Amino acid sequence: MSPSAGGLVVFLLSVQVIQSQDGWRVKYRQTDVCAAKGSEVDIICDITHPPGIRPSDIKDRFWFTKEKDGEPVDLRTDSEYSGRVTYGCYSDWKTCYLTIRDVRESDSAEYKFTLRTNKPGEKYTGSPGVTLSVKGFQVQVRRSDSTWLELTCHSSCVLSDRAEYVWYKNEKYFKGGSSLSVSSGSTDRYSCYLRGSYDHRSPAVYGPQRPSVSVSPSAEMLEGDSVTLTCSTDANPAASYTWYKEHGTLDPRLLSEEPQLVFSSIQSSDSGNYSCTAENQLGRKTSDFISIDVKYGPQRPSVSASPSAEMLEGDSVNLTCSTDANPAANYTWYKEHEDSPRASGQIFTITDFTAEHSGNYYCEAQNEMGRSNSTLRLITSSGASNGWIAAFASTSAIFLVIIMILAVLMIRRKKSPPSSRPAERPENNAQIPPAEPCYATVSFSRNQEDLLYSNVSPTRPPRRKEEVEEVLYSRVNFVRTEM
């Protein structure tokens, strides 16, 4: 055996016995070998031969893992092992060995020893052979407390107590030893290897870099589309992912704990800012926010009239249309049975309203995603309604005038002094002139600026005081109030 300086030699302990024909026998010192990546491995076998066999009777002997056309392929001719294998036998030629230097994971295979004698066609192979498993080094991470982590250089193979480990930090030599303590959240990279096998260092361990977020498809998102957000980062051990959506002033809302956030049918309510967090034992990092803007056509518009959809002639009215859409909708106003639009914009104003303006108006909201409309009916207040109001006002006014006249008469009668003379019996031939009537004049004005007033005035003086009380005239003007 010729182990390389500083390398780790794996010695075989268990024995595998192969009994061949004609008294040939092969014993492997170990049938299962586990070797660390980069180390040196020795596989040894002992050979027993029939009596009378001399070394000169052995034509050839070698090790192999593959066969070609039913014949074993000498490892020395295999390019994958070029310059890395050595084998031979000791002086008594009954103990033979195979040495593999700088073992690789690709060297994991079953190795067999075979020999040929000078006798034509006579050959013997020790089968089954020795199974070699090559394992790389790994850095195991264990949290010792809230601020410190313990890193251990580990191989699944059982190594000799003489094995020496070396640590690298950010691609530079750091220190020796099988374990290392580092602070939690460190951004440094740590790797280890077996001394003498620098080329077979363990993969470096490090906390996550700042994650990046990608969107698929990257084109404009329409309501109902299938959209996938993917979070990715560089980390070892592999990072776990968490998705969040910004939720106003509150803490972000947890959505998923997978690398991908999938919307099978995205909706307008899914618009917003999203971020993902990547975390492993060594640290935690959060991505920048990515904005999701879902496009959708206008919803059914809401239309309203101010101050009212029922108006008098000459009034003004504002028609307002509003809807939810992304991008924002454009608005167009139409009157029923007319092809040309009446107006554009969210507000449509009609001044000096007339009966011709009455009818159904509809607002159409439109963007690049689609269109939608709603209808509003405008009407003029009916004449019958106005007449009823006027009649009610007139009746109320007349009733008020009558009450006023009666009140005045009663007041005047109370103020008149009683007669000191007994009432004279009128002569039979004397004629009492009739009392002059009380006149009431009622007039209505169409002018809104005319004032409502009452004029009560006495008649001309009577010829005889005894004959007639004063007669009152009442004049009342009424204003027709437009409703």
Side-chain angles (χ1 to χ4, degrees):
M1 295 181 292
S2 56
S4 62
L8 179 66
V9 179
V10 180
F11 294 94
L12 309 180
L13 302 177
S14 63
V15 175
Q16 173 70 35
V17 178
I18 311 298
Q19 184 66 49
S20 183
Q21 294 180 357
D22 301 326
W24 288 97
R25 186 175 63 182
V26 176
K27 295 189 302 182
Y28 293 108
R29 301 279 178 94
Q30 189 173 355
T31 57
D32 291 292
V33 178
C34 182
K37 186 178 178 181
S39 64
E40 181 177 286
V41 176
D42 285 329
I43 301 176
I44 303 173
C45 70
D46 296 314
I47 304 168
T48 300
H49 55 79
I53 295 296
R54 294 170 299 181
S56 59
D57 294 331
I58 306 300
K59 178 180 180 181
D60 195 10
R61 50 182 174 245
F62 58 89
W63 297 80
F64 72 95
T65 62
K66 305 173 185 176
E67 292 185 358
K68 183 177 181 180
D69 299 328
E71 293 295 325
V73 178
D74 191 340
L75 282 180
R76 291 171 295 189
T77 64
D78 190 334
S79 60
E80 293 183 9
Y81 293 87
S82 178
R84 296 192 299 120
V85 297
T86 301
Y87 47 74
C89 296
Y90 295 109
S91 57
D92 61 359
W93 70 272
K94 295 181 181 180
T95 300
C96 297
Y97 64 87
L98 164 66
T99 300
I100 309 175
R101 295 178 296 276
D102 191 19
V103 292
R104 308 166 183 174
E105 290 178 309
S106 60
D107 294 339
S108 298
E110 182 182 14
Y111 293 80
K112 299 177 183 179
F113 177 79
T114 187
L115 62 83
R116 300 173 184 177
T117 67
N118 291 324
K119 188 177 180 178
E122 188 175 47
K123 59 182 180 180
Y124 301 94
T125 299
S127 183
V130 177
T131 301
L132 173 64
S133 299
V134 180
K135 305 293 184 180
F137 286 98
Q138 301 292 330
V139 176
Q140 293 183 332
V141 182
R142 185 177 64 86
R143 183 173 293 277
S144 56
D145 56 36
S146 59
T147 58
W148 289 96
L149 301 170
E150 183 179 5
L151 309 183
T152 303
C153 194
H154 173 76
S155 173
S156 57
C157 297
V158 178
L159 303 181
S160 168
D161 292 338
R162 294 177 297 166
E164 297 182 33
Y165 300 91
V166 177
W167 287 93
Y168 258 53
K169 176 180 175 180
N170 299 328
E171 300 300 317
K172 294 181 179 180
Y173 173 81
F174 185 54
K175 63 182 299 185
S178 60
S179 63
L180 190 66
S181 293
V182 300
S183 61
S184 178
S186 171
T187 58
D188 296 317
R189 295 175 175 237
Y190 297 92
S191 61
C192 69
Y193 62 93
L194 193 66
R195 186 177 296 277
S197 57
Y198 171 82
D199 293 337
H200 300 289
R201 286 180 297 166
S202 71
V205 295
Y206 48 93
Q209 308 300 302
R210 182 177 294 277
S212 61
V213 177
S214 60
V215 183
S216 178
S218 58
E220 189 175 67
M221 282 175 281
L222 307 182
E223 200 168 43
D225 284 352
S226 176
V227 177
T228 299
L229 307 184
T230 302
C231 186
S232 59
T233 188
D234 181 21
N236 188 33
S240 59
Y241 297 93
T242 308
W243 282 97
Y244 297 92
K245 182 180 181 182
E246 196 175 46
H247 197 51
T249 57
L250 304 177
D251 292 336
R253 179 159 50 94
L254 174 64
L255 297 177
S256 172
E257 295 182 346
E258 299 293 334
Q260 292 185 325
L261 182 61
V262 179
F263 299 91
S264 57
S265 178
I266 199 164
Q267 301 299 310
S268 59
S269 58
D270 294 322
S271 294
N273 294 325
Y274 293 80
S275 65
C276 72
T277 295
E279 182 177 12
N280 68 6
Q281 297 96 315
L282 283 85
R284 171 188 175 99
K285 288 291 179 64
T286 300
S287 72
D288 294 329
F289 279 109
I290 183 171
S291 181
I292 298 299
D293 187 25
V294 181
K295 307 293 185 182
Y296 55 95
Q299 310 298 306
R300 184 175 180 83
S302 171
V303 292
S304 61
S306 178
S308 170
E310 183 175 345
M311 291 154 293
L312 298 175
E313 292 189 3
D315 284 352
S316 294
V317 63
N318 289 327
L319 306 184
T320 303
C321 184
S322 60
T323 188
D324 181 24
N326 187 25
N330 297 316
Y331 300 92
T332 307
W333 290 91
Y334 295 87
K335 187 178 181 185
E336 193 175 34
H337 306 308
E338 293 183 2
D339 296 331
S340 300
R342 284 293 186 100
S344 61
Q346 196 168 3
I347 299 177
F348 172 30
T349 301
I350 302 176
T351 57
D352 194 17
F353 194 87
T354 65
E356 294 180 354
H357 290 112
S358 298
N360 291 331
Y361 290 80
Y362 67 91
C363 164
E364 182 178 82
Q366 179 180 6
N367 67 7
E368 60 195 57
M369 304 295 111
R371 64 181 66 195
S372 184
N373 62 69
S374 290
T375 302
L376 175 69
R377 182 172 181 79
L378 296 182
I379 60 174
T380 307
S381 296
S382 64
S385 175
N386 290 343
W388 181 85
I389 296 173
F392 177 78
S394 300
T395 303
S396 299
I398 294 172
F399 181 72
L400 178 61
V401 170
I402 293 173
I403 292 175
M404 292 173 62
I405 294 173
L406 292 176
V408 172
L409 290 176
M410 290 179 67
I411 293 171
R412 292 180 64 87
R413 186 175 295 277
K414 287 182 179 181
K415 289 183 178 181
S416 298
S419 176
S420 61
R421 295 179 300 170
E424 297 180 358
R425 183 182 301 274
E427 297 180 1
N428 293 335
N429 58 356
Q431 296 184 359
I432 299 175
E436 294 192 20
C438 174
Y439 295 95
T441 303
V442 179
S443 62
F444 299 92
S445 173
R446 294 182 176 272
N447 190 342
Q448 295 183 1
E449 298 179 354
D450 288 346
L451 300 177
L452 172 64
Y453 65 91
S454 173
N455 183 20
V456 180
S457 60
T459 62
R460 63 180 181 275
R463 295 177 183 176
R464 288 182 300 182
K465 183 177 181 180
E466 309 81 25
E467 295 175 349
V468 183
E469 292 286 340
E470 286 187 308
V471 179
L472 299 178
Y473 289 86
S474 176
R475 181 178 180 180
V476 180
N477 289 343
F478 290 95
V479 179
R480 179 184 177 185
T481 304
E482 298 292 342
M483 299 298 292

